Amino acid sequence: MSESSPRRLRTLWYRIPVVHQFRQSIGLQRGMLVTGLVITGFFLLVAALAPVISPYRFNQLRDVHGLFGAQNPPSAAHLLGTTSGGYDVLSRVIWGTQTAFLVIVVAILLSFFVGVFLGLLSGYLGGWLDRVLVVIADAVYAFPSLLLAIVAAIVISGGQSSLWGGVLAAAISITAVFIPQYFRVIRSETIRIKSEAFVESAKVIGASTPRIMFRHVLRNSTRTLPLILTLNSSEAILTLAGLGFLGFGIEPTSAAEWGYDLNKAVSDVTSGIWWTSVFPGLAIVLVVLGVTLVGESLNDLADPRLRTRRRAAAQTPADAMAASEPVSEAAVELP
């Protein structure tokens, strides 16, 4: 292996988005980013290892000793107690991480591709198509997001469904809310970029419209999308929890869902039974906190004004050098 290979690998490693932002961050920004990554990484690990670390299945009501019993306090057999339906609280919380992240992935992917594609078409082609899409996007964006998600969930699944039916219903409901956000960001960036010199050069040499749109305009208009992805992930968790809390979530025999568990625990609180609501609610708060900290940190690091302040406040030459590097390299490529 040549001497340049380790250097090349190190350069590629430093260009990974989160690693690149971590090297730039100092002080409070670095603390927020690390805290958010630790919390989010912990729940991702829990979701991946749920079948291994969970003491019971999410829909299990009995073991070899008989039924679990309803509303039992925390004990050696049930570390976080049992719910009013007789489910193990710890198992429901662990399995709920899988449902939450599955909905996030499906919702973000659907809204990302649809919103980006429509924003690119609208911004580059303009005309009547642009006017129609802008009116539709503004109307959807102005609609209350949770109410829109409820309507979509009712239309798609009637509010009650199996695991994949519930996941798709919740994801599509959230997608309807997120598409206008990606649409507006990509459209505005496309309108700005399509007048750049390298786009005009591509037109002069005869490049086709699809090639210009996807090869030159799109790749230069998506730099802020990672920030929106992280912030939308936390909003997706809250929307999913809201749907479940209002009774439009996933059946407990099909999957574990934190919002549904909170809905069933409302009556327990007045009776002094705290464990059925505290732990699902704490899981929602921690996941949203972790994802939000990551998103806010990336948002701060993408702001040139904040990067200038960090440069001025850097206390060591190494920190000053790291803080002065650009957040992302412009992917401008001449045809």
Side-chain angles (χ1 to χ4, degrees), residues 11 32 81 156 159 188 219 221 246 290 320-321 327 332:
T11 302
M32 291 173 56
I156 294 168
S188 61
R219 66 183 302 178
S221 60
L246 295 174
M321 183 177 297
V327 171
V332 176

Side-chain angles (χ1 to χ4, degrees), residues 27 91 110 118 141 202 236 257 315:
S91 301
L110 288 176
L118 293 179
Y141 193 76
E257 201 275 303
Q315 309 217 349

Side-chain angles (χ1 to χ4, degrees), residues 274-292:
W274 53 270
W275 56 87
T276 58
S277 59
V278 167
F279 298 110
L282 186 62
I284 295 173
V285 171
L286 289 178
V287 174
V288 172
L289 175 63
V291 177
T292 302

Side-chain angles (χ1 to χ4, degrees), residues 37 86 105 110 146 269 278 310 331:
L37 289 174
V105 170
L110 288 176
L146 184 57
V269 177
V278 167
R310 282 198 307 278

Side-chain angles (χ1 to χ4, degrees), residues 4-324:
S4 61
S5 296
R7 182 179 302 174
R8 187 180 299 111
L9 291 175
R10 186 166 57 252
T11 302
L12 292 175
W13 169 256
Y14 288 155
R15 288 182 179 179
I16 297 176
V18 176
V19 176
H20 189 72
Q21 269 83 11
F22 177 79
R23 294 183 65 242
Q24 289 184 308
S25 63
I26 61 172
L28 180 60
Q29 262 74 34
R30 175 167 292 186
M32 291 173 56
L33 182 59
V34 171
T35 303
L37 289 174
V38 169
I39 296 175
T40 306
F42 170 77
F43 278 95
L44 284 173
L45 188 63
V46 169
L49 300 178
V52 179
I53 63 177
S54 178
Y56 307 101
R57 292 285 299 174
F58 59 84
N59 57 354
Q60 188 172 342
L61 293 172
R62 63 170 64 235
D63 58 9
V64 294
H65 303 292
L67 291 172
F68 294 155
Q71 300 175 332
N72 291 333
S75 62
H78 304 282
L79 296 180
L80 302 185
T82 60
T83 69
S84 58
Y87 301 105
D88 181 68
V89 174
L90 177 59
S91 301
R92 295 281 299 178
V93 171
I94 292 176
W95 284 98
T97 58
Q98 280 194 344
T99 306
F101 284 108
L102 188 59
V103 170
I104 289 175
V105 170
V106 177
I108 294 298
L109 288 179
L110 288 176
S111 58
F112 178 84
F113 287 109
V114 175
V116 168
F117 179 73
L118 293 179
L120 184 64
L121 286 179
S122 179
Y124 190 82
L125 299 179
W128 66 269
L129 178 64
D130 179 51
R131 292 193 293 272
V132 170
L133 290 177
V134 167
V135 170
I136 296 175
D138 288 345
V140 174
Y141 193 76
F143 206 77
S145 59
L146 184 57
L147 182 58
L148 180 62
I150 291 173
V151 173
I154 294 174
V155 171
I156 294 168
S157 65
Q160 304 292 333
S161 56
S162 61
L163 170 60
W164 282 106
V167 167
L168 289 176
I172 294 174
S173 305
I174 297 169
T175 296
V177 178
F178 286 172
I179 285 177
Q181 300 182 26
Y182 295 103
F183 170 83
R184 296 172 72 174
V185 171
I186 295 299
R187 176 182 175 272
S188 61
E189 286 293 305
T190 300
I191 293 175
R192 179 184 65 83
I193 292 172
K194 73 177 183 179
S195 60
E196 295 287 341
F198 67 92
V199 176
E200 297 297 329
S201 300
K203 293 179 181 178
V204 169
I205 66 174
S208 63
T209 298
R211 178 180 175 82
I212 296 174
M213 289 173 57
F214 294 99
R215 176 74 175 177
H216 303 289
V217 177
L218 178 61
R219 66 183 302 178
N220 289 285
S221 60
T222 58
R223 287 177 293 174
T224 59
L225 289 184
L227 313 178
I228 304 176
L229 285 172
T230 54
L231 297 177
N232 279 352
S233 297
S234 61
E235 187 176 346
I237 295 175
L238 293 175
T239 303
L240 174 65
L243 288 173
F245 184 79
L246 295 174
F248 300 99
I250 304 171
E251 290 293 324
T253 55
S254 301
E257 201 275 303
W258 297 329
Y260 177 90
D261 292 341
L262 284 177
N263 173 272
K264 296 302 179 183
V266 170
S267 58
D268 297 342
V269 177
T270 57
S271 303
I273 303 173
W274 53 270
W275 56 87
T276 58
S277 59
V278 167
F279 298 110
L282 186 62
I284 295 173
V285 171
L286 289 178
V287 174
V288 172
L289 175 63
V291 177
T292 302
L293 285 176
V294 174
E296 290 294 338
S297 300
L298 295 178
N299 189 39
D300 288 348
L301 292 169
D303 193 330
R305 294 169 297 180
L306 294 177
R307 291 204 305 273
T308 303
R309 291 179 194 170
R310 282 198 307 278
R311 258 199 321 270
Q315 309 217 349
T316 66
D319 286 340
M321 183 177 297
S324 63

